[in-house]
PDB file of all heavy atoms in Angstrom:
ATOM      1  N   MET A  75     105.357 133.662  59.966  1.00 96.00           N
ATOM      2  CA  MET A  75     106.202 133.428  58.798  1.00 96.00           C
ATOM      3  C   MET A  75     107.149 134.602  58.574  1.00 96.00           C
ATOM      4  O   MET A  75     106.970 135.688  59.112  1.00 96.00           O
ATOM      5  CB  MET A  75     105.319 133.251  57.552  1.00 96.00           C
ATOM      6  CG  MET A  75     104.356 132.082  57.661  1.00 96.00           C
ATOM      7  SD  MET A  75     105.235 130.513  57.611  1.00 96.00           S
ATOM      8  CE  MET A  75     104.141 129.480  58.566  1.00 96.00           C
ATOM      9  N   ALA A  76     108.143 134.368  57.732  1.00 96.00           N
ATOM     10  CA  ALA A  76     109.071 135.434  57.366  1.00 96.00           C
ATOM     11  C   ALA A  76     109.347 135.357  55.878  1.00 96.00           C
ATOM     12  O   ALA A  76     109.124 134.328  55.238  1.00 96.00           O
ATOM     13  CB  ALA A  76     110.365 135.296  58.158  1.00 96.00           C
ATOM     14  N   ASP A  77     109.817 136.472  55.321  1.00 95.00           N
ATOM     15  CA  ASP A  77     110.078 136.564  53.890  1.00 95.00           C
ATOM     16  C   ASP A  77     111.559 136.845  53.643  1.00 95.00           C
ATOM     17  O   ASP A  77     112.313 137.141  54.563  1.00 95.00           O
ATOM     18  CB  ASP A  77     109.184 137.640  53.263  1.00 95.00           C
ATOM     19  CG  ASP A  77     109.052 138.853  54.179  1.00 95.00           C
ATOM     20  OD1 ASP A  77     109.933 139.062  55.036  1.00 95.00           O
ATOM     21  OD2 ASP A  77     108.063 139.602  54.041  1.00 95.00           O
ATOM     22  N   LEU A  78     111.948 136.774  52.382  1.00 96.00           N
ATOM     23  CA  LEU A  78     113.368 136.967  52.047  1.00 96.00           C
ATOM     24  C   LEU A  78     113.762 138.428  52.199  1.00 96.00           C
ATOM     25  O   LEU A  78     114.779 138.761  52.801  1.00 96.00           O
ATOM     26  CB  LEU A  78     113.631 136.490  50.617  1.00 96.00           C
ATOM     27  CG  LEU A  78     113.508 134.984  50.379  1.00 96.00           C
ATOM     28  CD1 LEU A  78     113.546 134.669  48.891  1.00 96.00           C
ATOM     29  CD2 LEU A  78     114.633 134.246  51.116  1.00 96.00           C
ATOM     30  N   VAL A  79     112.947 139.281  51.583  1.00 95.00           N
ATOM     31  CA  VAL A  79     113.180 140.721  51.669  1.00 95.00           C
ATOM     32  C   VAL A  79     111.903 141.311  52.224  1.00 95.00           C
ATOM     33  O   VAL A  79     110.808 140.887  51.860  1.00 95.00           O
ATOM     34  CB  VAL A  79     113.492 141.318  50.272  1.00 95.00           C
ATOM     35  CG1 VAL A  79     113.631 142.826  50.353  1.00 95.00           C
ATOM     36  CG2 VAL A  79     114.735 140.675  49.690  1.00 95.00           C
ATOM     37  N   HIS A  80     112.032 142.275  53.099  1.00 94.00           N
ATOM     38  CA  HIS A  80     110.845 142.791  53.769  1.00 94.00           C
ATOM     39  C   HIS A  80     110.710 144.285  53.527  1.00 94.00           C
ATOM     40  O   HIS A  80     111.711 144.994  53.464  1.00 94.00           O
ATOM     41  CB  HIS A  80     110.948 142.521  55.271  1.00 94.00           C
ATOM     42  CG  HIS A  80     109.647 142.639  55.987  1.00 94.00           C
ATOM     43  ND1 HIS A  80     108.613 141.755  55.789  1.00 94.00           N
ATOM     44  CD2 HIS A  80     109.201 143.554  56.890  1.00 94.00           C
ATOM     45  CE1 HIS A  80     107.574 142.118  56.549  1.00 94.00           C
ATOM     46  NE2 HIS A  80     107.922 143.210  57.211  1.00 94.00           N
ATOM     47  N   ILE A  81     109.489 144.721  53.377  1.00 92.00           N
ATOM     48  CA  ILE A  81     109.270 146.161  53.261  1.00 92.00           C
ATOM     49  C   ILE A  81     109.046 146.710  54.652  1.00 92.00           C
ATOM     50  O   ILE A  81     108.116 146.289  55.355  1.00 92.00           O
ATOM     51  CB  ILE A  81     108.073 146.467  52.351  1.00 92.00           C
ATOM     52  CG1 ILE A  81     108.386 146.019  50.934  1.00 92.00           C
ATOM     53  CG2 ILE A  81     107.738 147.946  52.391  1.00 92.00           C
ATOM     54  CD1 ILE A  81     107.199 146.010  50.011  1.00 92.00           C
ATOM     55  N   ASN A  82     109.892 147.593  55.045  1.00 92.00           N
ATOM     56  CA  ASN A  82     109.747 148.234  56.343  1.00 92.00           C
ATOM     57  C   ASN A  82     108.500 149.099  56.291  1.00 92.00           C
ATOM     58  O   ASN A  82     108.415 150.059  55.521  1.00 92.00           O
ATOM     59  CB  ASN A  82     110.988 149.074  56.641  1.00 92.00           C
ATOM     60  CG  ASN A  82     110.915 149.705  58.017  1.00 92.00           C
ATOM     61  OD1 ASN A  82     109.903 150.276  58.396  1.00 92.00           O
ATOM     62  ND2 ASN A  82     112.007 149.593  58.754  1.00 92.00           N
ATOM     63  N   ARG A  83     107.499 148.766  57.110  1.00 90.00           N
ATOM     64  CA  ARG A  83     106.224 149.463  57.019  1.00 90.00           C
ATOM     65  C   ARG A  83     106.341 150.920  57.436  1.00 90.00           C
ATOM     66  O   ARG A  83     105.495 151.744  57.072  1.00 90.00           O
ATOM     67  CB  ARG A  83     105.177 148.775  57.897  1.00 90.00           C
ATOM     68  CG  ARG A  83     104.830 147.335  57.511  1.00 90.00           C
ATOM     69  CD  ARG A  83     104.692 147.160  56.018  1.00 90.00           C
ATOM     70  NE  ARG A  83     103.947 145.956  55.638  1.00 90.00           N
ATOM     71  CZ  ARG A  83     104.469 144.916  55.001  1.00 90.00           C
ATOM     72  NH1 ARG A  83     105.762 144.898  54.688  1.00 90.00           N
ATOM     73  NH2 ARG A  83     103.714 143.893  54.651  1.00 90.00           N
ATOM     74  N   SER A  84     107.365 151.205  58.214  1.00 89.00           N
ATOM     75  CA  SER A  84     107.523 152.573  58.678  1.00 89.00           C
ATOM     76  C   SER A  84     108.204 153.442  57.614  1.00 89.00           C
ATOM     77  O   SER A  84     107.710 154.504  57.268  1.00 89.00           O
ATOM     78  CB  SER A  84     108.337 152.570  59.973  1.00 89.00           C
ATOM     79  OG  SER A  84     108.519 153.875  60.411  1.00 89.00           O
ATOM     80  N   THR A  85     109.323 152.950  57.057  1.00 89.00           N
ATOM     81  CA  THR A  85     110.035 153.756  56.042  1.00 89.00           C
ATOM     82  C   THR A  85     109.479 153.509  54.648  1.00 89.00           C
ATOM     83  O   THR A  85     109.767 154.255  53.723  1.00 89.00           O
ATOM     84  CB  THR A  85     111.522 153.383  56.020  1.00 89.00           C
ATOM     85  OG1 THR A  85     111.624 151.990  55.660  1.00 89.00           O
ATOM     86  CG2 THR A  85     112.172 153.578  57.387  1.00 89.00           C
ATOM     87  N   GLN A  86     108.692 152.458  54.498  1.00 87.00           N
ATOM     88  CA  GLN A  86     108.136 152.021  53.211  1.00 87.00           C
ATOM     89  C   GLN A  86     109.231 151.607  52.232  1.00 87.00           C
ATOM     90  O   GLN A  86     108.998 151.493  51.036  1.00 87.00           O
ATOM     91  CB  GLN A  86     107.211 153.098  52.605  1.00 87.00           C
ATOM     92  CG  GLN A  86     106.064 153.460  53.549  1.00 87.00           C
ATOM     93  CD  GLN A  86     105.064 154.423  52.949  1.00 87.00           C
ATOM     94  OE1 GLN A  86     105.190 154.854  51.819  1.00 87.00           O
ATOM     95  NE2 GLN A  86     104.044 154.758  53.722  1.00 87.00           N
ATOM     96  N   GLN A  87     110.434 151.346  52.745  1.00 89.00           N
ATOM     97  CA  GLN A  87     111.551 150.886  51.919  1.00 89.00           C
ATOM     98  C   GLN A  87     111.754 149.398  52.148  1.00 89.00           C
ATOM     99  O   GLN A  87     111.428 148.877  53.207  1.00 89.00           O
ATOM    100  CB  GLN A  87     112.849 151.610  52.311  1.00 89.00           C
ATOM    101  CG  GLN A  87     112.762 153.118  52.257  1.00 89.00           C
ATOM    102  CD  GLN A  87     113.102 153.666  50.875  1.00 89.00           C
ATOM    103  OE1 GLN A  87     113.063 152.936  49.888  1.00 89.00           O
ATOM    104  NE2 GLN A  87     113.413 154.952  50.816  1.00 89.00           N
ATOM    105  N   SER A  88     112.360 148.726  51.138  1.00 90.00           N
ATOM    106  CA  SER A  88     112.660 147.310  51.338  1.00 90.00           C
ATOM    107  C   SER A  88     113.962 147.171  52.127  1.00 90.00           C
ATOM    108  O   SER A  88     114.851 148.020  52.029  1.00 90.00           O
ATOM    109  CB  SER A  88     112.756 146.583  49.998  1.00 90.00           C
ATOM    110  OG  SER A  88     113.592 147.292  49.120  1.00 90.00           O
ATOM    111  N   GLU A  89     114.018 146.100  52.922  1.00 93.00           N
ATOM    112  CA  GLU A  89     115.211 145.888  53.731  1.00 93.00           C
ATOM    113  C   GLU A  89     115.470 144.388  53.873  1.00 93.00           C
ATOM    114  O   GLU A  89     114.570 143.577  53.646  1.00 93.00           O
ATOM    115  CB  GLU A  89     115.065 146.568  55.098  1.00 93.00           C
ATOM    116  CG  GLU A  89     113.908 146.028  55.910  1.00 93.00           C
ATOM    117  CD  GLU A  89     113.727 146.772  57.242  1.00 93.00           C
ATOM    118  OE1 GLU A  89     114.050 147.971  57.306  1.00 93.00           O
ATOM    119  OE2 GLU A  89     113.268 146.136  58.203  1.00 93.00           O
ATOM    120  N   PRO A  90     116.692 143.998  54.234  1.00 95.00           N
ATOM    121  CA  PRO A  90     117.021 142.572  54.316  1.00 95.00           C
ATOM    122  C   PRO A  90     116.172 141.858  55.354  1.00 95.00           C
ATOM    123  O   PRO A  90     115.786 142.440  56.368  1.00 95.00           O
ATOM    124  CB  PRO A  90     118.488 142.566  54.744  1.00 95.00           C
ATOM    125  CG  PRO A  90     119.004 143.916  54.439  1.00 95.00           C
ATOM    126  CD  PRO A  90     117.839 144.850  54.546  1.00 95.00           C
ATOM    127  N   ALA A  91     115.893 140.600  55.052  1.00 96.00           N
ATOM    128  CA  ALA A  91     115.189 139.769  56.026  1.00 96.00           C
ATOM    129  C   ALA A  91     115.911 138.422  56.034  1.00 96.00           C
ATOM    130  O   ALA A  91     117.060 138.366  56.477  1.00 96.00           O
ATOM    131  CB  ALA A  91     113.729 139.642  55.675  1.00 96.00           C
ATOM    132  N   LEU A  92     115.266 137.358  55.536  1.00 96.00           N
ATOM    133  CA  LEU A  92     115.962 136.074  55.477  1.00 96.00           C
ATOM    134  C   LEU A  92     117.155 136.165  54.526  1.00 96.00           C
ATOM    135  O   LEU A  92     118.148 135.461  54.689  1.00 96.00           O
ATOM    136  CB  LEU A  92     115.000 134.974  55.022  1.00 96.00           C
ATOM    137  CG  LEU A  92     113.889 134.637  56.010  1.00 96.00           C
ATOM    138  CD1 LEU A  92     112.915 133.648  55.393  1.00 96.00           C
ATOM    139  CD2 LEU A  92     114.459 134.083  57.309  1.00 96.00           C
ATOM    140  N   ALA A  93     117.034 137.013  53.522  1.00 96.00           N
ATOM    141  CA  ALA A  93     118.201 137.322  52.684  1.00 96.00           C
ATOM    142  C   ALA A  93     118.932 138.465  53.355  1.00 96.00           C
ATOM    143  O   ALA A  93     118.354 139.539  53.559  1.00 96.00           O
ATOM    144  CB  ALA A  93     117.746 137.711  51.283  1.00 96.00           C
ATOM    145  N   LYS A  94     120.196 138.202  53.710  1.00 95.00           N
ATOM    146  CA  LYS A  94     120.898 139.266  54.429  1.00 95.00           C
ATOM    147  C   LYS A  94     121.332 140.374  53.475  1.00 95.00           C
ATOM    148  O   LYS A  94     121.589 141.495  53.878  1.00 95.00           O
ATOM    149  CB  LYS A  94     122.096 138.693  55.194  1.00 95.00           C
ATOM    150  CG  LYS A  94     123.121 138.036  54.305  1.00 95.00           C
ATOM    151  CD  LYS A  94     124.239 137.427  55.107  1.00 95.00           C
ATOM    152  CE  LYS A  94     125.182 136.650  54.171  1.00 95.00           C
ATOM    153  NZ  LYS A  94     126.193 135.896  54.893  1.00 95.00           N
ATOM    154  N   SER A  95     121.410 140.048  52.163  1.00 95.00           N
ATOM    155  CA  SER A  95     121.732 141.076  51.175  1.00 95.00           C
ATOM    156  C   SER A  95     121.299 140.577  49.804  1.00 95.00           C
ATOM    157  O   SER A  95     121.047 139.384  49.615  1.00 95.00           O
ATOM    158  CB  SER A  95     123.247 141.332  51.170  1.00 95.00           C
ATOM    159  OG  SER A  95     123.920 140.168  50.726  1.00 95.00           O
ATOM    160  N   TRP A  96     121.211 141.504  48.863  1.00 95.00           N
ATOM    161  CA  TRP A  96     120.925 141.092  47.479  1.00 95.00           C
ATOM    162  C   TRP A  96     121.626 142.026  46.510  1.00 95.00           C
ATOM    163  O   TRP A  96     121.917 143.168  46.833  1.00 95.00           O
ATOM    164  CB  TRP A  96     119.421 141.054  47.206  1.00 95.00           C
ATOM    165  CG  TRP A  96     118.721 142.387  47.250  1.00 95.00           C
ATOM    166  CD1 TRP A  96     118.553 143.228  46.194  1.00 95.00           C
ATOM    167  CD2 TRP A  96     118.127 143.012  48.378  1.00 95.00           C
ATOM    168  NE1 TRP A  96     117.868 144.357  46.591  1.00 95.00           N
ATOM    169  CE2 TRP A  96     117.592 144.231  47.934  1.00 95.00           C
ATOM    170  CE3 TRP A  96     117.993 142.653  49.722  1.00 95.00           C
ATOM    171  CZ2 TRP A  96     116.925 145.122  48.793  1.00 95.00           C
ATOM    172  CZ3 TRP A  96     117.333 143.534  50.559  1.00 95.00           C
ATOM    173  CH2 TRP A  96     116.806 144.748  50.101  1.00 95.00           C
TER     174      TRP A  96
END
Side-chain angles (χ1 to χ4, degrees):
Chain A
M75 300 290 152
D77 39 23
L78 292 170
V79 176
H80 197 68
I81 295 168
N82 183 313
R83 297 318 199 246
S84 179
T85 61
Q86 302 185 0
Q87 304 272 19
S88 49
E89 61 183 30
L92 292 174
K94 61 183 174 187
S95 65
W96 66 90

